[in-house]
Amino acid sequence: MTQIQIKKKPLLTRPEQFQGVPTFIAEILARRGVQSEQELELKLKNLLAPNLKGIDVAVELIDQAIDQQKQIVIIGDYDADGATSTALMILVLKEMGARVEYLVPDRFKYGYGLTPAIADLAKQTYQPDLLITVDNGISSHAGVETAHALGMQVIITDHHLTTKSTPAAEAVVNPNQLGCDFPSKALAGVGVAFYVLAKLASYRSQQAKSTCKVTQYLDLVALGTYADVATLDYNNRILIDTGLKRIQQYQCRAGILALLDIAKRDAATLRAQDLGFVIAPRINAAGRMESMRIGIECLLAPDLETAYPIAQQLNQLNIERRQVETEMKQQAMSALQHIHLETEQLPAALVMFDQQWHQGVIGIVAGRLKEQFHRPSLVFAPDEDGIHIKGSARSIEGIHIRDMIEQVAEQYPHLVSHFGGHAAAAGLTLKKEHFDTFKSVFIEAIAQMDEDLFQPILWTDGELVATDLNLNTLDWIDQLGPWGQKFPLPQFEGRFQIIDYRWLKDQHLKLKLASGNHSIDAIAFNAIDRFEFNPMLAYVDLVYTLERNVFNGNTSLQLQIAHLTQ
């Protein structure tokens, strides 16, 4: 394994501009590029105005469809962003009096987005007048053509990247489409849906047609945005923080409360990270293992009584998902050991396929491999047709995975059937017979990248002095959240004296440490596989985050260890 470099994040703005906060907090903010104190005020009034290209036409069309009682069908997507976007559209449009249904493509049967087959299915099932896509559609040229041929209008709401012209839909709303000047390109699919619905609500309210407070559904926007690992720019942080506060006050969907209860988490103390690690995997499990309808129905449930059995089903699917994922990762690791032994060094990218693998979890496995080996990772599973394979890609900082796939697709048009995605994650389909060729071409393309990109770097906020190792520091950090993608939770580095240690369940390492005159507890999860620890040495160098440890009613500070060396 490559040695991890530990570096202190550079200052991007001036710490002196943040008054009334401890110096280390001012530096944390400056390292994340916070421009002014106003950016710490996460109020809805500071949200960007809804000036997205195409939004006015979309609002007008939906408004007419509601008034004329036309049949609307939402075409969703099978991840948490797609599920929250679909639920949001259904709830708000129904509240406005619309006739609205939804369809989510089965990932195993239809693949992603508004395909011609999905347009057909929508027509047969619901006879819609208007299709609205959420979290998909920006590449659905053929699907839009089919919908038009079948007499349906189409509005696309999406956030995925595109370098091509948009499909010929009646309206396209996507901050990343060519010619859209909306300042934040980081909106998730649910964020785009929220903007469309908020503008529609305001328009219908002005016309005295209906009143609907779209902000009451910000719990869904927060969940979908965080789950999709969207960059936490100022706008997204406002959306997430406001939605998170609704959950903490129990003013959220019954399905979210049911999932939290099953996960034994208290909504009142929920943090933004828990949206990504507690709720989202359970919603995602529906789309990965069975049908995302289960996840959407959980979010649509009107009360706890309805939501609870669905939430239990999601929890069970998540347990199954974990088992499948663990097996696949073990198989991938043994295949990698084989590669590793043969070449004595890792290839520039990890590209793997197995006939037995499950389409639903290839993205997670790709993510785990990327984390462990610091290489762009593509994991493929067979498609139902027996001819194609579907791949999920996850990338490291500095390598734009969607663009790399596009580069291969343009140079060798026969190799890649479909692809789409973002800088950090993408999906693609190819014929099984082309896998070996694609693999060598793709690895070769990645190998041309700057070598420094393959050197894993752990960025920290520097050292905390011993007197700042207290709960007050953690209170400051909590106040300044939500933390997440491109606005990372503060992590610090430091050298500590080892007072005592013990192993929990033979894999987690619990340490008692000294810093100055203070003693402090620390924990390293799964340390047995990750770090080499020698109890005979007096000191340990750590990279860590701060957390609360509540035990027997007492709350104390604990370090959660991200990296350990001696």
Side-chain angles (χ1 to χ4, degrees):
M1 281 294 296
T2 324
Q3 195 63 36
I4 291 181
Q5 277 187 9
I6 294 163
K7 288 187 179 178
K8 193 161 145 182
K9 282 178 193 291
L11 295 168
L12 302 175
T13 54
R14 287 175 39 254
E16 308 83 71
Q17 67 180 312
F18 303 110
Q19 299 299 311
V21 300
T23 308
F24 71 88
I25 290 289
E27 288 184 1
I28 285 169
L29 295 170
R31 289 197 172 92
R32 280 150 190 76
V34 178
Q35 299 285 350
S36 66
E37 286 192 345
Q38 193 226 303
E39 270 189 51
L40 304 179
E41 188 190 40
L42 302 179
K43 297 280 196 303
L44 283 177
K45 67 175 181 4
N46 297 335
L47 273 182
L48 290 166
N51 302 327
L52 286 126
K53 181 180 176 181
I55 197 168
D56 292 332
V57 182
V59 163
E60 204 174 305
L61 280 169
I62 302 170
D63 176 61
Q64 285 169 8
I66 297 170
D67 290 349
Q68 295 165 18
Q69 283 297 286
K70 289 181 171 175
Q71 180 65 58
I72 303 171
V73 171
I74 310 302
I75 306 293
D77 182 30
Y78 39 69
D79 66 2
D81 186 13
T84 50
S85 307
T86 305
L88 179 69
M89 277 276 180
I90 294 286
L91 290 162
V92 174
L93 293 179
K94 279 199 167 157
E95 199 178 320
M96 291 176 178
R99 286 176 59 215
V100 60
E101 298 287 347
Y102 72 90
L103 266 182
V104 184
D106 179 322
R107 81 191 301 152
F108 308 110
K109 209 179 285 178
Y110 294 102
Y112 168 78
L114 175 61
T115 56
I118 287 296
D120 267 333
L121 183 65
K123 183 70 177 174
Q124 287 164 28
T125 315
Y126 296 115
Q127 297 295 313
D129 303 290
L130 173 64
L131 299 181
I132 304 175
T133 72
V134 288
D135 191 31
N136 74 85
I138 199 64
S139 306
S140 301
H141 295 265
V144 170
E145 276 177 33
T146 304
H148 284 162
L150 295 169
M152 299 178 282
Q153 293 184 304
V154 183
I155 294 171
I156 288 170
T157 75
D158 198 355
H159 69 123
H160 289 92
L161 303 177
T162 177
T163 52
K164 307 278 190 293
S165 58
T166 51
E170 275 66 20
V172 178
V173 188
N174 177 346
N176 289 302
Q177 70 177 308
L178 303 173
C180 183
D181 298 329
F182 187 72
S184 170
K185 303 300 178 189
L187 279 180
V190 72
V192 178
F194 170 78
Y195 265 94
V196 170
L197 293 166
K199 191 148 195 179
L200 175 68
S202 142
Y203 178 75
R204 287 181 70 78
S205 167
Q206 284 161 10
Q207 309 284 317
K209 290 176 178 178
S210 63
T211 54
C212 173
K213 202 160 172 259
V214 184
T215 51
Q216 69 182 306
Y217 299 110
L218 276 167
D219 55 330
L220 293 172
V221 181
L223 171 56
T225 302
Y226 204 96
D228 216 50
V229 202
T231 294
L232 296 201
D233 63 6
Y234 181 39
N235 208 57
N236 274 345
R237 288 175 63 236
I238 295 172
L239 291 172
I240 289 173
D241 192 60
T242 317
L244 183 65
K245 287 192 164 76
R246 291 194 71 85
I247 299 172
Q248 289 166 342
Q249 291 154 9
Y250 301 89
Q251 296 176 341
C252 62
R253 301 305 303 163
I256 290 178
L257 291 177
L259 286 167
L260 286 173
D261 189 65
I262 286 167
K264 298 187 169 41
R265 291 299 184 97
D266 179 8
T269 57
L270 203 71
R271 299 171 311 163
Q273 299 93 291
D274 300 322
L275 297 172
F277 296 108
V278 180
I279 307 175
R282 290 169 166 84
I283 299 274
N284 271 328
R288 295 186 188 286
M289 305 307 292
E290 203 163 312
S291 160
M292 189 38 104
R293 283 195 81 87
I294 307 165
I296 294 166
E297 288 302 320
C298 185
L299 296 173
L300 292 174
D303 50 48
L304 270 173
E305 199 182 342
T306 316
Y308 215 88
I310 312 175
Q312 283 175 312
Q313 193 182 352
L314 288 173
N315 194 53
Q316 189 52 43
L317 286 170
N318 193 46
I319 291 166
E320 290 168 29
R321 186 271 301 167
R322 277 201 207 128
Q323 289 165 344
V324 171
E325 177 206 325
T326 303
E327 272 172 47
M328 275 179 61
K329 185 172 177 230
Q330 282 167 348
Q331 290 169 5
M333 297 297 279
S334 58
L336 273 173
Q337 276 174 330
H338 184 60
I339 296 170
H340 198 45
L341 291 173
E342 282 181 7
T343 62
E344 271 313 302
Q345 65 174 47
L346 281 172
L350 307 177
V351 185
M352 314 191 78
F353 162 65
D354 191 295
Q355 191 59 42
Q356 306 307 314
W357 284 352
H358 189 294
Q359 263 187 49
V361 300
I362 50 177
I364 299 177
V365 174
R368 305 260 192 255
L369 293 174
K370 181 266 294 186
E371 289 298 323
Q372 191 155 348
F373 295 100
H374 196 72
R375 292 285 186 277
S377 299
L378 280 70
V379 178
F380 288 85
D383 198 5
E384 287 208 326
D385 65 6
I387 298 166
H388 292 87
I389 56 175
K390 293 224 166 116
S392 210
R394 297 292 181 270
S395 196
I396 56 177
E397 190 74 34
I399 296 181
H400 194 303
I401 199 75
R402 185 207 159 277
D403 287 0
M404 293 305 295
I405 296 167
E406 183 172 49
Q407 186 182 309
V408 171
E410 283 178 347
Q411 282 179 312
Y412 306 89
H414 68 289
L415 285 185
V416 183
S417 311
H418 315 285
F419 70 93
H422 306 290
L428 68 162
T429 304
L430 33 127
K431 284 189 172 167
K432 197 194 311 188
E433 64 189 68
H434 294 326
F435 172 74
D436 290 330
T437 316
F438 171 83
K439 177 178 175 174
S440 57
V441 167
F442 185 80
I443 290 173
E444 184 55 37
I446 297 286
Q448 306 304 312
M449 307 294 283
D450 183 349
E451 255 180 48
D452 291 348
L453 294 171
F454 303 104
Q455 166 66 57
I457 296 172
L458 200 50
W459 294 101
T460 79
D461 288 284
E463 292 195 34
L464 274 180
V465 296
T467 49
D468 285 329
L469 283 168
N470 55 44
L471 288 169
N472 190 35
T473 295
L474 191 47
D475 289 337
W476 271 109
I477 290 171
D478 286 347
Q479 275 173 44
L480 295 168
W483 307 97
Q485 183 71 358
K486 299 272 166 57
F487 198 83
L489 183 70
Q491 65 179 3
F492 306 99
E493 58 186 285
R495 167 163 273 220
F496 297 87
Q497 188 179 350
I498 301 166
I499 302 173
D500 197 7
Y501 78 98
R502 62 194 163 101
W503 288 97
L504 309 177
K505 295 182 182 171
D506 292 331
Q507 56 180 350
H508 312 306
L509 178 61
K510 186 92 169 136
L511 296 172
K512 193 167 202 56
L513 304 169
S515 175
N517 300 322
H518 297 65
S519 82
I520 190 159
D521 288 333
I523 188 157
F525 291 108
N526 301 311
I528 202 84
D529 301 324
R530 294 167 61 209
F531 311 122
E532 286 179 17
F533 174 69
N534 182 351
M536 304 310 291
L537 297 174
Y539 287 89
V540 65
D541 292 302
L542 302 180
V543 175
Y544 61 91
T545 56
L546 303 178
E547 62 179 19
R548 278 180 184 75
N549 185 24
V550 182
F551 186 68
N552 286 344
N554 292 324
T555 303
S556 60
L557 186 73
Q558 177 170 274
L559 312 186
Q560 184 163 329
I561 298 169
H563 189 67
L564 178 157
T565 47
Q566 286 179 297

